[in-house]
Amino acid sequence: MTSADWAWRTSTYSTDRGECVEVADSPGSSAVRDTKHRDLGALLFRSPEWRAFIDAAKRDAF
């Protein structure tokens, strides 16, 4: 399965100014890509890594 086959959605944290991130989920993993530069590919994370990132972002740990 390639990233073109995935069901991409725009992040709810994207802005109206075009600062957009897209996310796609598959069994056991999630991928993230820049909406403006889709041709550059995506970052793929295993589900536990992605969950840890989301949890840290919600706690404003960065």
Side-chain angles (χ1 to χ4, degrees), residues 21-34:
V21 174
E22 295 177 322
V23 178
D25 297 310
S26 67
S29 64
S30 294
V32 182
R33 69 181 180 186
D34 183 340

Side-chain angles (χ1 to χ4, degrees), residues 8-57:
W8 291 96
R9 66 187 184 284
T10 301
S11 168
T12 58
Y13 289 97
S14 296
T15 69
D16 293 336
R17 296 184 315 214
E19 298 165 348
C20 299
V21 174
E22 295 177 322
V23 178
D25 297 310
S26 67
S29 64
S30 294
V32 182
R33 69 181 180 186
D34 183 340
T35 302
K36 289 184 179 180
H37 302 285
R38 293 177 179 140
D39 57 315
L40 295 178
L43 298 174
L44 183 63
F45 299 93
R46 291 181 26 229
S47 293
E49 296 168 325
W50 184 244
R51 174 56 38 210
F53 171 77
I54 295 299
D55 290 344

